Amino acid sequence: AWNVAGLRSFHEKSLDRLRGVIAGEAPDVVILQEHKLQETHCAAFTERLRRDFPMYKTVQFAVSVAKKGYSGVATYDGPKLLEIREGLGARGYTDEGRTMTLEFEGFYLVTAYVPNSGQDLKRLDYRIGEWERDMRAHLKELDAKKPVVYMGDLNVAHLDSDIWNVGASHIKKSAGTTPQEREAFGVMLEENDLRDAFRHFHGDAVGWFSYWSVRAGNRPFNKGLRLDYTLASKRVFDGGADGVEVVDAFILDKVLGSDHAPVGVTLAL
């Protein structure tokens, strides 16, 4: 999963970066987030991605219709996919193009570009009181059927070690690092019986981030946040269950091309 901060510009300037990631990792599923495409762009970019990466048979975009040039997630993958659904089922959440659920034989993959709480935290109440509540319910319903992997730009830095300047006075008032958002992330892990896959394999890692402010020029100094995650049902760790086991999770923090780094997970099926 990779937040590309605008697919049109990324495709023009950084496509070789994506080619390098795909050549090195050979992923079965690729998720691009914050593509910012409008509905009128999708047909052309579907063809472009199929041309650029012919090994992937399915290309699908979730697009924001509430605001043009905003958010959006895209997936493309191999032939083992059973179904793709936008939004959170009966709860909706299709207007901003933020989430898709991919069903495979042994598990569900939910990808989300979680709403940012915004300037002056104007969307914090929505983020905590509606989005987080309904995503937890969606994940719980899926997990009752088969294990769940939840990944993408979750727009929160959960632990102190996920924030380069955790002691700074503005941290508690900044989107993604407020106590409310960090606490809600912990509630989701607990209530949905999920595990942070990266922390499972790299529990004591510090200075390992997935986002750096371009405006502040923070990347060369590794002044970052970990905002991109892979979570999975606890029962698929340590031996696995239902024929699925998480065997690795990683951040490709040396890969350039966006203000975010790609993140990934390896499953044994």
Side-chain angles (χ1 to χ4, degrees), residues 185-213:
F185 189 90
V187 169
M188 178 179 61
L189 292 177
E190 184 67 26
E191 287 191 0
N192 291 91
D193 210 26
L194 296 171
R195 183 172 294 171
D196 180 342
F198 179 79
R199 285 294 171 202
H200 176 77
F201 294 103
H202 310 281
D204 298 326
V206 295
W208 211 336
F209 306 121
S210 68
Y211 165 81
W212 304 262
S213 170

Short mmCIF file of all heavy atoms in Angstrom, two decimals, residues 185-213:
data_model
loop_
_atom_site.label_atom_id
_atom_site.label_comp_id
_atom_site.label_asym_id
_atom_site.label_seq_id
_atom_site.Cartn_x
_atom_site.Cartn_y
_atom_site.Cartn_z
N PHE A 185 -7.23 4.36 18.12
CA PHE A 185 -6.49 3.30 17.44
C PHE A 185 -6.29 2.11 18.38
O PHE A 185 -6.47 0.95 17.99
CB PHE A 185 -5.14 3.84 16.96
CG PHE A 185 -4.39 2.91 16.06
CD1 PHE A 185 -4.55 2.97 14.69
CD2 PHE A 185 -3.50 1.99 16.58
CE1 PHE A 185 -3.85 2.12 13.85
CE2 PHE A 185 -2.78 1.13 15.76
CZ PHE A 185 -2.96 1.20 14.39
N GLY A 186 -5.92 2.40 19.62
CA GLY A 186 -5.77 1.33 20.60
C GLY A 186 -7.07 0.61 20.88
O GLY A 186 -7.09 -0.62 21.04
N VAL A 187 -8.18 1.36 20.93
CA VAL A 187 -9.49 0.74 21.13
C VAL A 187 -9.81 -0.21 19.98
O VAL A 187 -10.33 -1.31 20.19
CB VAL A 187 -10.58 1.83 21.26
CG1 VAL A 187 -11.98 1.21 21.19
CG2 VAL A 187 -10.40 2.59 22.57
N MET A 188 -9.50 0.21 18.75
CA MET A 188 -9.76 -0.64 17.59
C MET A 188 -8.96 -1.94 17.68
O MET A 188 -9.49 -3.04 17.44
CB MET A 188 -9.40 0.09 16.30
CG MET A 188 -9.59 -0.74 15.05
SD MET A 188 -9.20 0.17 13.54
CE MET A 188 -7.48 0.56 13.84
N LEU A 189 -7.68 -1.84 18.03
CA LEU A 189 -6.87 -3.05 18.17
C LEU A 189 -7.49 -4.00 19.20
O LEU A 189 -7.57 -5.22 18.98
CB LEU A 189 -5.45 -2.69 18.59
CG LEU A 189 -4.58 -1.94 17.58
CD1 LEU A 189 -3.23 -1.61 18.20
CD2 LEU A 189 -4.38 -2.74 16.31
N GLU A 190 -7.91 -3.44 20.32
CA GLU A 190 -8.44 -4.26 21.42
C GLU A 190 -9.81 -4.85 21.07
O GLU A 190 -10.03 -6.05 21.20
CB GLU A 190 -8.54 -3.41 22.69
CG GLU A 190 -8.99 -4.17 23.92
CD GLU A 190 -7.97 -5.20 24.39
OE1 GLU A 190 -6.77 -5.02 24.10
OE2 GLU A 190 -8.40 -6.18 25.04
N GLU A 191 -10.74 -4.00 20.64
CA GLU A 191 -12.11 -4.46 20.40
C GLU A 191 -12.20 -5.41 19.22
O GLU A 191 -13.05 -6.31 19.20
CB GLU A 191 -13.03 -3.26 20.17
CG GLU A 191 -13.33 -2.46 21.42
CD GLU A 191 -14.46 -1.46 21.20
OE1 GLU A 191 -15.00 -1.40 20.06
OE2 GLU A 191 -14.80 -0.74 22.16
N ASN A 192 -11.34 -5.22 18.22
CA ASN A 192 -11.41 -6.05 17.02
C ASN A 192 -10.39 -7.18 17.03
O ASN A 192 -10.27 -7.91 16.04
CB ASN A 192 -11.22 -5.19 15.78
CG ASN A 192 -12.39 -4.25 15.54
OD1 ASN A 192 -12.39 -3.12 16.02
ND2 ASN A 192 -13.39 -4.72 14.83
N ASP A 193 -9.68 -7.34 18.15
CA ASP A 193 -8.71 -8.42 18.29
C ASP A 193 -7.71 -8.41 17.13
O ASP A 193 -7.42 -9.43 16.50
CB ASP A 193 -9.44 -9.77 18.35
CG ASP A 193 -8.66 -10.80 19.17
OD1 ASP A 193 -7.90 -10.38 20.06
OD2 ASP A 193 -8.83 -12.01 18.92
N LEU A 194 -7.18 -7.20 16.87
CA LEU A 194 -6.22 -7.00 15.80
C LEU A 194 -4.82 -6.80 16.37
O LEU A 194 -4.66 -6.40 17.52
CB LEU A 194 -6.59 -5.77 14.97
CG LEU A 194 -7.91 -5.81 14.20
CD1 LEU A 194 -8.22 -4.44 13.62
CD2 LEU A 194 -7.86 -6.86 13.09
N ARG A 195 -3.83 -7.04 15.54
CA ARG A 195 -2.44 -6.81 15.94
C ARG A 195 -1.75 -5.96 14.87
O ARG A 195 -1.97 -6.15 13.67
CB ARG A 195 -1.71 -8.15 16.10
CG ARG A 195 -0.27 -8.03 16.58
CD ARG A 195 0.30 -9.40 16.89
NE ARG A 195 -0.37 -10.03 18.02
CZ ARG A 195 -0.19 -11.28 18.39
NH1 ARG A 195 0.63 -12.08 17.70
NH2 ARG A 195 -0.82 -11.78 19.44
N ASP A 196 -0.96 -5.03 15.32
CA ASP A 196 -0.13 -4.21 14.45
C ASP A 196 1.01 -5.09 13.95
O ASP A 196 1.93 -5.43 14.69
CB ASP A 196 0.39 -3.01 15.24
CG ASP A 196 1.27 -2.07 14.44
OD1 ASP A 196 1.79 -2.47 13.38
OD2 ASP A 196 1.47 -0.93 14.91
N ALA A 197 0.95 -5.46 12.67
CA ALA A 197 1.90 -6.45 12.15
C ALA A 197 3.33 -5.93 12.17
O ALA A 197 4.26 -6.68 12.48
CB ALA A 197 1.50 -6.85 10.73
N PHE A 198 3.54 -4.65 11.86
CA PHE A 198 4.89 -4.12 11.89
C PHE A 198 5.48 -4.21 13.29
O PHE A 198 6.63 -4.62 13.47
CB PHE A 198 4.90 -2.67 11.40
CG PHE A 198 6.26 -2.04 11.43
CD1 PHE A 198 7.19 -2.31 10.44
CD2 PHE A 198 6.63 -1.20 12.47
CE1 PHE A 198 8.46 -1.73 10.47
CE2 PHE A 198 7.89 -0.63 12.52
CZ PHE A 198 8.81 -0.90 11.52
N ARG A 199 4.70 -3.84 14.30
CA ARG A 199 5.20 -3.90 15.68
C ARG A 199 5.37 -5.34 16.15
O ARG A 199 6.20 -5.63 17.02
CB ARG A 199 4.26 -3.14 16.62
CG ARG A 199 4.37 -1.64 16.50
CD ARG A 199 5.73 -1.15 16.97
NE ARG A 199 5.93 0.26 16.67
CZ ARG A 199 7.12 0.84 16.57
NH1 ARG A 199 8.22 0.15 16.75
NH2 ARG A 199 7.22 2.12 16.29
N HIS A 200 4.62 -6.27 15.59
CA HIS A 200 4.79 -7.68 15.94
C HIS A 200 6.20 -8.16 15.57
O HIS A 200 6.83 -8.90 16.33
CB HIS A 200 3.74 -8.53 15.22
CG HIS A 200 3.89 -10.00 15.45
ND1 HIS A 200 3.48 -10.62 16.61
CD2 HIS A 200 4.41 -10.98 14.66
CE1 HIS A 200 3.74 -11.91 16.53
NE2 HIS A 200 4.31 -12.16 15.37
N PHE A 201 6.67 -7.71 14.41
CA PHE A 201 7.99 -8.15 13.94
C PHE A 201 9.11 -7.18 14.31
O PHE A 201 10.28 -7.57 14.31
CB PHE A 201 7.96 -8.34 12.42
CG PHE A 201 7.06 -9.46 11.98
CD1 PHE A 201 5.81 -9.18 11.43
CD2 PHE A 201 7.44 -10.78 12.12
CE1 PHE A 201 4.96 -10.21 11.03
CE2 PHE A 201 6.60 -11.81 11.73
CZ PHE A 201 5.37 -11.53 11.18
N HIS A 202 8.76 -5.93 14.60
CA HIS A 202 9.77 -4.91 14.89
C HIS A 202 9.33 -4.11 16.12
O HIS A 202 9.21 -2.89 16.06
CB HIS A 202 9.96 -3.98 13.69
CG HIS A 202 10.17 -4.69 12.38
ND1 HIS A 202 11.38 -5.23 12.02
CD2 HIS A 202 9.32 -4.96 11.37
CE1 HIS A 202 11.27 -5.79 10.82
NE2 HIS A 202 10.03 -5.64 10.41
N GLY A 203 9.10 -4.83 17.20
CA GLY A 203 8.48 -4.22 18.36
C GLY A 203 9.21 -3.05 18.97
O GLY A 203 8.58 -2.11 19.46
N ASP A 204 10.52 -3.07 18.94
CA ASP A 204 11.31 -2.02 19.58
C ASP A 204 11.87 -1.00 18.60
O ASP A 204 12.70 -0.16 18.98
CB ASP A 204 12.47 -2.66 20.37
CG ASP A 204 11.98 -3.58 21.47
OD1 ASP A 204 10.93 -3.27 22.06
OD2 ASP A 204 12.65 -4.59 21.74
N ALA A 205 11.43 -1.05 17.36
CA ALA A 205 11.99 -0.17 16.34
C ALA A 205 11.68 1.29 16.65
O ALA A 205 10.56 1.65 17.00
CB ALA A 205 11.44 -0.53 14.97
N VAL A 206 12.68 2.13 16.52
CA VAL A 206 12.49 3.58 16.67
C VAL A 206 13.06 4.26 15.42
O VAL A 206 13.93 3.69 14.74
CB VAL A 206 13.18 4.13 17.93
CG1 VAL A 206 12.52 3.57 19.18
CG2 VAL A 206 14.67 3.82 17.92
N GLY A 207 12.56 5.44 15.11
CA GLY A 207 13.04 6.15 13.94
C GLY A 207 12.66 5.50 12.63
O GLY A 207 13.30 5.72 11.60
N TRP A 208 11.60 4.69 12.63
CA TRP A 208 11.15 3.99 11.43
C TRP A 208 9.77 4.53 11.09
O TRP A 208 8.77 4.10 11.65
CB TRP A 208 11.10 2.49 11.67
CG TRP A 208 11.38 1.68 10.43
CD1 TRP A 208 11.22 2.08 9.13
CD2 TRP A 208 11.86 0.35 10.38
NE1 TRP A 208 11.58 1.08 8.28
CE2 TRP A 208 11.97 0.00 9.01
CE3 TRP A 208 12.19 -0.60 11.34
CZ2 TRP A 208 12.41 -1.25 8.59
CZ3 TRP A 208 12.63 -1.84 10.92
CH2 TRP A 208 12.74 -2.18 9.56
N PHE A 209 9.74 5.49 10.17
CA PHE A 209 8.51 6.22 9.88
C PHE A 209 8.02 5.94 8.46
O PHE A 209 8.73 5.34 7.65
CB PHE A 209 8.76 7.72 10.06
CG PHE A 209 9.33 8.08 11.41
CD1 PHE A 209 10.55 8.74 11.52
CD2 PHE A 209 8.66 7.75 12.58
CE1 PHE A 209 11.08 9.07 12.75
CE2 PHE A 209 9.18 8.07 13.82
CZ PHE A 209 10.40 8.73 13.91
N SER A 210 6.80 6.41 8.17
CA SER A 210 6.25 6.23 6.83
C SER A 210 5.80 7.55 6.20
O SER A 210 5.35 7.56 5.05
CB SER A 210 5.07 5.26 6.86
OG SER A 210 3.96 5.83 7.55
N TYR A 211 5.91 8.65 6.93
CA TYR A 211 5.50 9.96 6.40
C TYR A 211 6.45 11.03 6.91
O TYR A 211 6.86 11.02 8.08
CB TYR A 211 4.07 10.30 6.85
CG TYR A 211 3.74 11.77 6.64
CD1 TYR A 211 3.35 12.24 5.39
CD2 TYR A 211 3.85 12.68 7.69
CE1 TYR A 211 3.09 13.58 5.19
CE2 TYR A 211 3.58 14.03 7.49
CZ TYR A 211 3.20 14.47 6.24
OH TYR A 211 2.95 15.81 6.05
N TRP A 212 6.78 11.99 6.00
CA TRP A 212 7.64 13.11 6.34
C TRP A 212 7.07 14.36 5.67
O TRP A 212 6.74 14.33 4.48
CB TRP A 212 9.06 12.88 5.84
CG TRP A 212 9.68 11.62 6.33
CD1 TRP A 212 10.54 11.46 7.38
CD2 TRP A 212 9.51 10.31 5.78
NE1 TRP A 212 10.91 10.16 7.52
CE2 TRP A 212 10.28 9.41 6.55
CE3 TRP A 212 8.76 9.79 4.71
CZ2 TRP A 212 10.34 8.05 6.29
CZ3 TRP A 212 8.81 8.44 4.45
CH2 TRP A 212 9.60 7.58 5.23
N SER A 213 6.98 15.45 6.38
CA SER A 213 6.46 16.69 5.83
C SER A 213 7.38 17.23 4.74
O SER A 213 8.57 17.47 4.99
CB SER A 213 6.29 17.74 6.93
OG SER A 213 5.99 19.00 6.38
#
